[in-house]
Amino acid sequence: EVVRATKSKVTKVSKTLTVGTFSYDIVTAFSINDLMAISYIAYLPAGGSDSYPIVPTSFETILRLRTSASTSGALRLYAFRDATTLELYPSPQSSTDSLDIYYVATPTALSADSDLPSAVPVPFHDVITLGATARMMEDEDAGAAEQYAQKYQRRLNELTWFISERTGRIPRGSHLGYPTRRSQVPHDPSTYYSGGS
């Protein structure tokens, strides 16, 4: 839960696609056995030098587009049909098209007493303990469970902020198009010639 909420462990897999093939099983086609959540999918068309993101949508939307719109052109949408089947729209136009899938990976299970949660930075290991304590206390003491849940949420927010800060600041974009409000030019009527002699 902590890893999924904070995206503290994101893994990348690249895959060459098959021309005309809409559906891919992520386990067999992409060798992804530890998917928790998709973070980002980028598409690189054949002969291209730059990839671009494709947009998540619903499986129903993709089905509707396949029957009512052109199925040719650059790949732009994806959806999951079920837990492991990735659906694309439109279908790849070349067998040298490729996808880069960035996903939140399931962390390695802890088994020995000396094991540490590698997907969570050391200063935030208490987040796991607080969350587990809040859940264990739910049946025993609702008030204590609520207190631990609040502490857990606060530390989870701090961890989320810590991870997002590592990605750096996003530069502010410049404004495109016409301004939404015109600036007023300073105006003083007394400075204008009134026509008197």
Side-chain angles (χ1 to χ4, degrees), residues 95-122:
S95 288
T96 55
D97 290 359
S98 64
L99 287 185
D100 289 332
I101 300 180
Y102 296 84
Y103 69 97
V104 181
T106 303
T108 304
L110 306 179
S111 56
D113 291 343
S114 59
D115 286 351
L116 295 173
S118 60
V120 178
V122 173

Side-chain angles (χ1 to χ4, degrees), residues 92-175:
Q93 302 303 299
S94 168
S95 288
T96 55
D97 290 359
S98 64
L99 287 185
D100 289 332
I101 300 180
Y102 296 84
Y103 69 97
V104 181
T106 303
T108 304
L110 306 179
S111 56
D113 291 343
S114 59
D115 286 351
L116 295 173
S118 60
V120 178
V122 173
F124 294 95
H125 282 179
D126 63 315
V127 176
I128 300 168
T129 307
L130 289 169
T133 304
R135 288 194 177 171
M136 287 189 308
M137 296 295 289
E138 285 176 352
D139 293 333
E140 303 295 326
D141 186 337
E146 179 62 27
Q147 289 178 351
Y148 277 105
Q150 289 174 1
K151 291 178 183 178
Y152 165 73
Q153 191 59 55
R154 185 173 64 249
R155 288 293 284 159
L156 188 68
N157 292 342
E158 291 171 359
L159 174 57
T160 302
W161 179 85
F162 174 81
I163 291 170
S164 68
E165 283 294 299
R166 287 185 167 186
T167 62
R169 300 267 180 203
I170 298 173
R172 181 177 295 182
S174 60
H175 180 76

